[in-house]
Amino acid sequence: MNTTRRAALGLALASIALLSGCVVAVGNKGFSKLDADSSRVVTRAQFDHVVEANKTVRLGMPQHDVLATYPADLLTKFETSHHDGRDLEVWQAYAVTSNGDRSFRRWLYFVDGALVEMSRKEIDYRDQPETLRRWLSHERPTPAPSPG
C-alpha cells in the first residue's frame, strides 16, 4: 500500500473513531471520570508537601488560589454545572505515595469561583438539595479592583 493510501486510511479511521463518540483524553483536566481514580503517584516528600499545603486552604478562597495549592497533575476537574444562575465546579485533588501506603483525596466544590466545600469523600449534592442550597446561599465573590 502506498503512502498516500495509508495516510487516507489513517485519516478515515481517525474520523470514524471521533464521529463514533469515542473519547480521547489528554491530560487529567477533562470532565471525564474515566481516569479520575487512576493513581497520582508521588514521592513521600511530595506527599507530605501536599498534606501541609492543604492546611492553608479555607472556605471562601478564590478558586485559582485553591487550585494553585496543589500540583496540577494531581487535579481532576469533574464537573461544571449551573444552578439558579450560579456556576458550580467540582474538582478533586488526589495523590498516593509510590509504595501505596498513604493516599490523599480532597473533593473541592466551587460556586462562582469561590470554595464552598472541601471533603475527603465525594458529596452527591443532587441527592442532598439542602447541601446545594447552602452552597448557593454563599455571597458571590466580589471582583478584585483593577490596578491603575
Side-chain angles (χ1 to χ4, degrees), residues 3 7 45 64 77 80 88 110-111 114 129-130 146:
T3 306
H64 59 85
K77 183 178 185 180
T80 296
L88 171 68
F110 300 94
V111 170
E130 183 54 40
S146 55

Side-chain angles (χ1 to χ4, degrees), residues 19-90:
L19 293 174
S20 69
C22 292
V23 176
V24 178
V26 178
N28 65 346
K29 290 188 179 181
F31 290 87
S32 174
K33 289 190 177 187
L34 296 175
D35 68 337
D37 287 331
S38 63
S39 297
R40 309 287 194 256
V41 178
V42 297
T43 66
R44 177 62 65 124
Q46 292 167 324
F47 183 89
D48 291 341
H49 176 74
V50 168
V51 171
E52 283 303 309
N54 183 69
K55 293 176 183 178
T56 67
V57 175
R58 300 285 179 258
L59 295 182
M61 286 178 66
Q63 180 173 341
H64 59 85
D65 291 347
V66 174
L67 297 179
T69 303
Y70 308 100
D73 57 339
L74 302 182
L75 292 168
T76 302
K77 183 178 185 180
F78 275 92
E79 176 182 347
T80 296
S81 56
H82 308 283
H83 305 272
D84 298 331
R86 313 278 310 262
D87 295 324
L88 171 68
E89 286 193 13
V90 180

